[in-house]
Amino acid sequence: MTQDQWGSIRDELHQSMGANCFQSWIEPLKYVGAEEGIARFNVPTNFLGNYVSQNYGDLLLSKITRLNPTVRRVVFDTVTAAKTAAACASAQDHQPEPLAAPQVQTRPASSPDALNGSPLDKRFTFDTFVVGKPNELAHAAARRVAEGGPVTFNPLFLYGGVGLGKTHLMHAIAWELRTRHPHLTVLNLSAEQFMYRFVQALRDRKMMDFKELFRSVDVLMVDDVQFIAGKDSTQEEFFHTFNALVDQHKQIIISADRAPDEIKDLENRIRSRLQSGLVVDLHPTDYELRLGILQAKSEMYARMYPGLEVERGILEFLAARIVSNVRILEGALTRLFAFASLVGKPISMDLTQECLTDILRVSERKVSIEEIQRKVADHYLIRHSDLVGPKRVRTFARPRQIAMYLCKQLTTRSLPEIGRHFGGRDHTTVMHGVRRIEELRKQDAQIAEDVELLRRSLEA
Ligand SMILES: Nc1ncnc2c1ncn2[C@@H]1O[C@H](COP(=O)(O)OP(=O)(O)OP(=O)(O)O)[C@@H](O)[C@H]1O
C-alpha cells in the first residue's frame, strides 16, 4: 500500500468516523509501509496503539486488504522521542538496545481474503470436487458465483445433509474468487463465529466496528446458518448485515443443513430473505458419485503411498456398501491405505473387510439374501426354486451367479452363509460365481446393465 492509498483510506475513515473521532485516533497514526504481509504504523503512545488496535484494528485491516490483499496483519510500533534518542545513542555504542517498543497487533487474518474468518482448506477447490447427478446444480451455481460477475442471484443458498460437500463448495468459490479477483474482500465464516463476534462486539462496545467490517466486505459466506435459529439478537443483526450487503449488490453465500422453510425458530423475514435468491440442494450421493469420489481420492492416495493401489472391484464394493456420507467414505479409504502400508500388504478384498469391519457393519443396509433372490428371480422371470436349485442350464445359472454377486456386494454375509441360501452350495462355488460376474460386467454390457438395475432397485 502506498502513502497515497493510505491517504485515501484516511479520507474514507474521516467521512465515516466523524472529525472528532478521526482526530483522536487515526490522525496520529504514521503509516510506515507494508512488507511481508505486515502493514506497519508508528504511534506516539502505547495507549493509542492499544486502543486503535482493539477498536479499529479489524476495520483498518479490511480496508487495507482491499487495496493490498497480501497484507495479513496490522502492527503498531510505539515510537516516542525519548526511545528514538535512546536507540540512536545505543547504536553509536554498538550495543543495540533490544527494541523495547511493544508491538500491538491486530489478530492475524487466517488468509488475506478471509479476513479473520475461517481459514480456507487447501483441498477444497473446484478441481477436487467430483460432480455427479446429486450435486450438479449446486456445483453449477457455485461455479457461476465464483466467476464474480454482476450479482444475479443473491443469496446463493446451498443446503444438504451432513458431509455432502457444502463447505467444500463454499471454499472452492472463495479460492476461485481469490484467483480471478484478488482485490475483492471475501469473508468466510460460520454462523457460530458470526454470533460469537457479535456478542463480543456488544460486550466490548465495538458495534460500530462490527457493522463497518461486515458491511465493507465484497462477498460474505456464512456456513451452517441454521445455527442462528432461536437466537433472536443474532438473527436481528444478521438480518441488517444481510440487507446492507444486498443493497450494495454484494454477493452473499449461505449454507445450511436444511432448506430455509425447514429451519425452525427462524424469523419469517429472514426466511423469506434467504429464499429470495437461488436455493439449491445437494442430494444424498448415488452409487456413481460415490464411485467417482473414491476413484479420485484413491488416485491421490496412490501418489502418496507409492506401490499401493486399489482395484476397481474394491472401490465398487465400498461405493455400494458405504452409503452414509462422503466424509465416512473418505475416512474408509484413508484408513485402508494407512492400514495396508503399515502391515505391508496389498489392498485386497479380505484386507478391506478386515480393516473396515466397523464402518461396513454400521453402513450395512437391511437388504436380505431373500430379497435379492426375489428381485433377481422376478427380473429374469424364473422361479425361486430354479434360482436356488441344482439345474445348471445357463437360464438359471447366470441369474444365480448374479444373485450371489449381489449378496456379496450388498450384505455382510460370508461366502459359506450365502452358499447355504443357494441350496447348500459350497463357498468355492459362490466365490467362482462372484468372480465370474465381476469379469462379465466388464465384457458384457447387458449383464453390466442388469446388475446395475438390480442393485439400484435393491438400494431404493
Ligand atoms: N463431490 C465431492 N467431491 C469430492 N469431495 C467431496 C465431495 N463432496 C464432499 N466431499 C468431501 O467430503 C468431506 C465433507 O464435505 P464438507 O465438509 O464440504 O461437507 P458439508 O456438507 O459441509 O458437511 P457438514 O454439514 O457436516 O458441515 C470433505 O472432505 C469434502 O472434500
Side-chain angles (χ1 to χ4, degrees):
M1 183 178 67
T2 61
Q3 291 290 350
D4 278 355
Q5 287 175 321
W6 167 236
S8 68
I9 293 182
R10 275 168 52 108
D11 293 344
E12 277 175 34
L13 290 170
H14 194 212
Q15 291 283 321
S16 60
M17 294 168 70
N20 277 347
C21 216
F22 177 83
Q23 272 159 16
S24 310
W25 306 116
I26 303 297
E27 204 164 57
L29 306 182
K30 297 279 171 276
Y31 174 62
V32 181
E35 253 180 28
E36 295 178 356
I38 300 175
R40 286 187 179 278
F41 290 86
N42 285 348
V43 288
T45 60
N46 288 349
F47 171 75
L48 191 113
N50 269 319
Y51 188 90
V52 174
S53 170
Q54 279 171 21
N55 293 278
Y56 299 106
D58 285 350
L59 177 58
L60 277 176
L61 183 63
S62 76
K63 291 200 179 292
I64 294 170
T65 46
R66 197 187 291 187
L67 296 173
N68 182 345
T70 62
V71 171
R72 292 157 192 243
R73 261 182 20 215
V74 180
V75 170
F76 301 95
D77 296 319
T78 310
V79 179
T80 60
K83 280 217 172 90
T84 314
C88 287
S90 62
Q92 280 166 6
D93 292 338
H94 298 288
Q95 287 174 348
E97 183 185 89
L99 241 187
Q103 294 192 340
V104 185
Q105 303 180 347
T106 61
R107 258 189 316 144
S110 45
S111 68
D113 61 346
L115 293 182
N116 289 330
S118 308
L120 296 180
D121 193 315
K122 284 207 172 65
R123 297 165 306 163
F124 293 178
T125 61
F126 282 120
D127 287 347
T128 56
F129 191 82
V130 180
V131 186
K133 268 255 161 292
N135 60 21
E136 64 181 347
L137 189 57
H139 171 259
R143 279 265 187 208
R144 178 77 186 72
V145 166
E147 285 170 12
V151 175
T152 41
F153 31 78
N154 214 1
L156 168 61
F157 188 99
L158 296 170
Y159 76 93
V162 171
L164 294 182
K166 301 179 292 289
T167 308
H168 189 138
L169 275 182
M170 289 179 85
H171 285 206
I173 297 174
W175 284 120
E176 187 78 10
L177 284 171
R178 185 183 192 183
T179 313
R180 287 175 180 244
H181 306 279
H183 62 284
L184 290 183
T185 314
V186 180
L187 179 55
N188 166 59
L189 79 177
S190 65
E192 190 178 0
Q193 286 169 330
F194 179 87
M195 185 187 84
Y196 175 75
R197 285 185 176 208
F198 168 62
V199 171
Q200 204 174 29
L202 278 178
R203 198 186 57 207
D204 300 346
R205 303 213 176 102
K206 291 204 282 184
M207 276 312 289
M208 267 287 288
D209 245 18
F210 177 91
K211 284 181 190 292
E212 274 263 15
L213 175 80
F214 277 92
R215 283 154 181 69
S216 71
V217 301
D218 297 306
V219 180
L220 177 67
M221 301 184 167
V222 182
D223 212 351
D224 290 328
V225 82
Q226 74 279 354
F227 181 85
I228 63 166
K231 302 183 173 85
D232 295 345
S233 324
T234 306
Q235 281 192 38
E236 171 90 21
E237 192 52 42
F238 180 74
F239 180 71
H240 294 311
T241 305
F242 190 105
N243 288 344
L245 289 175
V246 170
D247 287 348
Q248 294 176 62
H249 306 289
K250 302 290 175 67
Q251 181 73 56
I252 300 176
I253 303 150
I254 307 276
S255 87
D257 64 357
R258 60 205 97 148
D261 53 2
E262 287 165 6
I263 305 179
K264 280 203 198 112
D265 297 328
L266 199 63
E267 278 182 43
N268 278 336
R269 56 183 184 157
I270 297 189
R271 196 188 310 279
S272 77
R273 277 291 184 174
L274 293 177
Q275 288 167 325
S276 62
L278 180 66
V279 179
V280 274
D281 61 339
L282 289 129
H283 295 275
T285 57
D286 60 10
Y287 173 79
E288 288 78 9
L289 179 58
R290 290 196 295 274
L291 189 59
I293 292 173
L294 284 168
Q295 269 163 346
K297 308 261 172 196
S298 65
E299 279 164 22
M300 188 189 82
Y301 279 120
R303 286 194 292 275
M304 280 164 61
Y305 294 91
L308 271 186
E309 54 183 36
V310 52
E311 285 174 15
R312 192 180 160 90
I314 293 177
L315 297 182
E316 286 174 355
F317 168 75
L318 293 176
R321 288 289 302 279
I322 305 178
V323 293
S324 37
N325 76 54
V326 183
R327 205 173 276 128
I328 296 190
L329 204 61
E330 278 184 339
L333 209 57
T334 311
R335 198 198 295 176
L336 195 56
F337 271 88
F339 186 75
S341 103
L342 277 175
V343 296
K345 290 187 183 164
I347 301 178
S348 62
M349 186 58 109
D350 286 347
L351 184 119
T352 305
Q353 289 187 331
E354 182 192 341
C355 155
L356 302 177
T357 319
D358 54 339
I359 298 182
L360 294 173
R361 197 181 313 119
V362 172
S363 323
E364 187 180 356
R365 277 168 291 107
K366 299 291 170 236
V367 181
S368 64
I369 293 184
E370 289 74 15
E371 206 179 335
I372 294 173
Q373 290 177 337
R374 202 169 44 247
K375 286 261 185 210
V376 174
D378 286 353
H379 182 84
Y380 289 105
L381 303 172
I382 61 175
R383 285 198 305 258
H384 180 264
S385 55
D386 288 327
L387 185 78
V388 300
K391 291 185 195 149
R392 297 170 68 169
V393 284
R394 183 169 292 180
T395 11
F396 302 144
R398 199 62 89 222
R400 188 178 301 138
Q401 289 175 329
I402 288 178
M404 288 174 176
Y405 171 83
L406 288 169
C407 290
K408 186 75 197 103
Q409 288 266 319
L410 303 180
T411 75
T412 45
R413 301 306 186 88
S414 65
L415 294 177
E417 268 180 292
I418 297 174
R420 275 199 289 283
H421 281 79
F422 284 82
R425 284 178 162 81
D426 189 68
H427 78 277
T428 50
T429 313
V430 180
M431 192 156 46
H432 169 76
V434 172
R435 294 220 172 114
R436 187 81 190 109
I437 298 303
E438 272 168 7
E439 283 160 22
L440 283 174
R441 280 190 62 193
K442 293 176 202 147
Q443 301 156 8
D444 186 329
Q446 184 58 53
I447 295 224
E449 199 184 314
D450 284 359
V451 169
E452 195 44 35
L453 246 155
L454 284 161
R455 194 188 50 71
R456 276 180 205 225
S457 79
L458 285 158
E459 267 187 0

